[in-house]
Amino acid sequence: MEQEHAADGPLAGVTVLEVGVFMAGPFATMQLADLGARVIKVENPAGPDPTRSTGPFLDGPGSQRHSSPFLRLNRNKESVALDLKSDAGRAAFLRLVAGADVLVENLRPGALRRLGLGPDELAQLNPGLVYASASGFGQDGPLAALPGLDIMAQARAGLMSITGSPDGDPVKVGVPICDLVSGLYTALAVTAALLHRDQPHGDGRGQQVDVSLLESGVSLAVWEAGTYFATGQVGRPLGSAHQTQAPYQAVRCADGWVTVGAITPKTWDGLCAALDLPHLHADPRYADSSGRHAHRTELIAAIEHATTARDTAGVVAALEAAGVPCAPINDYGQVFTDAHLAERDFFWDAEHPDLGPVRQLGSPMRLSGTAARRGGAGPVLGADSRAVLGEVGYSDAEIDALLGTMAR
């Protein structure tokens, strides 16, 4: 397929088909689209991506309503409406596959296989296709058939066992971390598979990519694995505290909280000087980070005796002047209006045909020669069906018949 819609990013010339719902698959393809790939999102016209029905909503012309999360999660993509359970829709999808480089899907394992659209069948049609599947628990194993939402993955991956306050109720990470990390792993694996395919030893052949929310979550347990495999000790919730170092956590101030990380000799010296705590600096219990961690309860109480007498701005200013890593705890109202992020042009506006400019979170990937793509907001369902189907050989009459069939 032609790439006239793709930006001149590092993945320009790569065509990605997405059969994605909710978070993991669409987040993976958003990364690829930001990097210049052409992403064609294929949705059932009768049952599209459920994120389209997730509020809050923005009102367009007439009675049209658009999901605000969808507009951001699906930026830089095109939308084609096809019913893959119909013969006509499946045939059209196979034409798209024939010219694609990548398929990303995050349906329940086996869903596309049952439609004759599994990796083996599509590899026969397009041997160079990278077929990437993101799922709750992987494509095989005893848990594979279970529904795998982010919170279930966080629970089974152990994340909820270490998140929150000691002796508190179970708490999940505030963002859907397993969904998001599995999306990032999927995008990374896809780019690796494309690189391998196009190298001489790859013989031009694609491969299957299998990423699970569960394993993505477990992969983050770097400190916990280091402790368990060395000592057998199981991690527990620590609030904001570090697993092995101190002081490295949030401390109270008169009007809020400040996070501090004074774990090196230099930063520990700086903290004691900035907060006028010479008695802590002289205490042999706190001579090194290991000792400070062992006596963390008493240490933090002593530090907070000083910080609660000052406001957050004063504590941050004093610690920054002393070279101590620190930061206030911002809410998202502060984050989305942050002067540093604004100066770096992190937020930007994507155009939408009904809504005009739609504010976007920027891509953290900053490449000096191939900037991240800044195209359109998440597309209207089926907005690109006619153009994309025309590119793969359908006549206007055939497109009318195909789209008419699915509309009934």
Side-chain angles (χ1 to χ4, degrees), residues 27-385:
F27 192 67
T29 57
M30 188 189 82
Q31 311 306 319
L32 301 174
D34 283 354
L35 293 174
R38 182 185 189 187
V39 175
I40 300 171
K41 185 179 180 74
V42 178
E43 301 175 76
N44 187 332
D49 184 343
T51 304
R52 289 189 182 274
S53 301
T54 301
F57 297 95
L58 301 174
D59 293 327
S63 59
Q64 279 194 307
R65 305 179 75 208
H66 301 280
S67 162
S68 181
F70 183 91
L71 295 171
R72 290 157 178 83
L73 186 57
N74 292 280
R75 67 181 181 222
N76 294 328
K77 302 179 186 179
E78 300 167 59
S79 173
V80 171
L82 292 175
D83 180 1
L84 301 185
K85 294 182 179 180
S86 72
D87 291 340
R90 191 162 50 252
F93 183 72
L94 290 174
R95 286 205 201 182
L96 297 180
V97 169
D101 298 286
V102 180
L103 169 65
V104 175
E105 61 94 11
N106 69 317
L107 306 181
R108 192 81 71 89
L112 287 183
R113 289 181 187 272
R114 289 189 289 274
L115 297 176
L117 301 174
D120 296 334
E121 294 90 342
L122 297 192
Q124 293 179 14
L125 172 66
N126 181 352
L129 184 72
V130 174
Y131 192 115
S133 299
S135 62
F137 305 109
Q139 298 300 301
D140 53 26
L143 302 179
L146 296 178
L149 303 180
D150 175 82
I151 193 170
M152 287 79 193
Q154 287 200 38
R156 287 187 180 270
L159 292 172
M160 291 180 67
S161 76
I162 62 167
T163 304
S165 301
D167 302 319
D169 292 339
V171 177
K172 69 178 182 66
V173 178
V175 297
I177 190 70
C178 291
D179 266 332
L180 297 172
V181 171
S182 67
L184 293 175
Y185 278 139
T186 299
L188 176 61
V190 163
T191 56
L194 288 172
L195 178 64
H196 178 269
R197 182 195 70 178
D198 295 337
Q199 290 179 340
H201 60 270
D203 296 327
R205 301 191 66 85
Q207 57 185 298
Q208 298 175 39
V209 172
D210 176 5
V211 175
S212 74
L213 275 65
L214 174 62
E215 291 168 353
S216 296
V218 175
S219 76
L220 302 178
V222 177
W223 290 111
E224 289 70 27
T227 299
Y228 180 80
F229 290 124
T231 69
Q233 182 178 348
V234 176
R236 292 290 182 259
L238 297 172
S240 64
H242 195 277
Q243 295 91 330
T244 63
Q245 312 247 18
Y248 187 103
Q249 66 180 84
V251 296
R252 292 180 184 273
C253 299
D255 61 345
W257 297 79
V258 170
T259 57
V260 298
I263 57 177
T264 67
K266 183 176 180 179
T267 55
W268 171 244
D269 293 347
L271 181 140
C272 291
L275 300 180
D276 192 21
L277 298 171
H279 59 292
L280 296 186
H281 192 266
D283 193 322
R285 295 177 300 170
Y286 308 140
D288 57 32
S289 182
S290 178
R292 293 192 291 272
H293 186 265
H295 299 92
R296 183 174 63 84
T297 300
E298 308 97 293
L299 172 65
I300 298 305
I303 291 174
E304 289 188 336
H305 182 73
T307 57
T308 51
R310 310 186 189 192
D311 62 17
T312 55
V315 171
V316 168
L319 293 176
E320 286 182 342
V324 180
C326 64
I329 297 179
N330 289 339
D331 63 32
Y332 276 114
Q334 295 167 306
V335 173
F336 297 148
T337 56
D338 182 80
H340 175 80
L341 294 173
E343 178 69 22
R344 283 173 57 82
D345 194 31
F346 181 73
F347 303 107
W348 58 282
D349 292 329
E351 285 298 317
H352 187 273
D354 292 342
L355 302 169
V358 176
R359 201 69 167 158
Q360 299 285 326
L361 301 179
S363 172
M365 298 177 285
R366 294 176 181 264
L367 286 74
S368 63
T370 49
R373 181 182 185 184
R374 295 189 168 188
V380 174
L381 178 62
D384 306 286
S385 296

